[in-house]
Amino acid sequence: MKRYILSLAICAAGVAPYSPVCAGQAFDPRRAKEHLIAPATRVMVLGVSHLDNAPEAFDPAWLEPVMCRLRAYAPDVILTEAMSGEQLAAIDAYKAVRGDAGKWAGPTLAIARDAQATLKISAADALAQANTLMARTKPTASERRRLAALFLAAGEPFSATTQWLQLDPAERLARDGVSETMKTKIERFGVGRGEIVSMAVALAVRLGRPRLYGAGDHLSDVALPDDEAFEEAVKASPDVIAQLNKATPTLKPYSSKALAIDAPDRVMPVFRALNSAQFGRLDAQAQWLTLQQSSPLGALGRQRVAAWEAQNLRMATTVREVTAAIPGGKALLIVGASHKPFIEAYLQTMTDIEVLSVPALLDRRPSGC
């Protein structure tokens, strides 16, 4: 009996959850981390307020304290909230069911089609050829130009820009499949203050990474409730509106005005706030869970949250797929802060993923920062 009780205690502690004695215990993938034969793959989910919407005074140069810490982290792969070229093509092919992908990435689709026509190649073949070229340790200038052209045709303009900006300025020429028109478009994707350009592309170029990965999702849009009905239900729910607008005393410190980056000394406090556990809990409740808990919204609120959860699950799935190639390595996902608590929760259930603390990263002061 003592031996049996001890065995149950071992099972409960998760020391040997897959032994015959523990056969009656429900499987929990999180416990598999305790038995890995090598370090888990580390993932950091950096929450941001979309910098395209930052105050007019905002200058991407102000981000240097955060960027310095990200360079020290040195992720092997970098993911963003942009949609992948593959998903764009899938939505476009099923537009009768999925809706118009151009609503989310019209310029990317148009540029990809033009590049495909120029190169006489499909999006899938363009990505396959890019994958083959990326396998080379140190691409030549000619190969980098070719990669930029292929990524453009694959619907991956930010990866095209990442390759382009790793060329010496004198080598950024309309050659190797890059037409003058394509060159202009690639360079336009390298300019801007949104976080994909000012953070993800800049970091990938600095670290010499070959591409960015789009983790954004809009396949889940098919689960959304009817827009008009949902808007009318929200209008009839003042308590929900107050939550969504962060107009309650608890939420006011996290309103868009309170978290505006309107001066250089606001960068670190805002990033700390957006990546705090408290913000994650309060924002998830205010923007999403409250929709499920509102009687006037009823099924409409539940549908809206279902679509949101599906979106974040797909983003977590993309992270898992991309990190499969770097077991024990490091990944960074830069994403809107409202996504962060959901994606982190889903990643934490996976057998070979360790979610790293962004606040701990921001609190460190690496050399040179």
Side-chain angles (χ1 to χ4, degrees), residues 1-17 19-22 25 31:
M1 176 61 74
K2 287 182 179 178
R3 182 178 299 174
Y4 178 72
I5 293 172
L6 177 61
S7 298
L8 289 180
I10 290 172
C11 291
V15 176
S19 72
V21 177
C22 306
Q25 190 176 73
R31 287 189 170 176

Side-chain angles (χ1 to χ4, degrees), residues 111-177:
I111 291 167
R113 287 174 182 139
D114 289 346
Q116 291 159 22
T118 299
L119 298 174
K120 297 179 174 55
I121 196 171
S122 70
D125 285 339
L127 186 57
Q129 288 188 26
N131 287 338
T132 299
L133 269 180
M134 281 192 297
R136 303 189 181 181
T137 308
K138 191 173 180 181
T140 64
S142 175
E143 288 169 337
R144 283 203 187 280
R145 287 191 291 266
R146 180 65 180 174
L147 274 167
L150 290 169
F151 277 130
L152 211 61
E156 300 282 350
F158 295 110
S159 291
T161 298
T162 296
Q163 283 292 335
W164 193 256
L165 293 179
Q166 290 184 67
L167 287 163
D168 290 333
E171 297 286 358
R172 295 171 192 168
L173 306 169
R175 295 179 184 170
D176 304 298

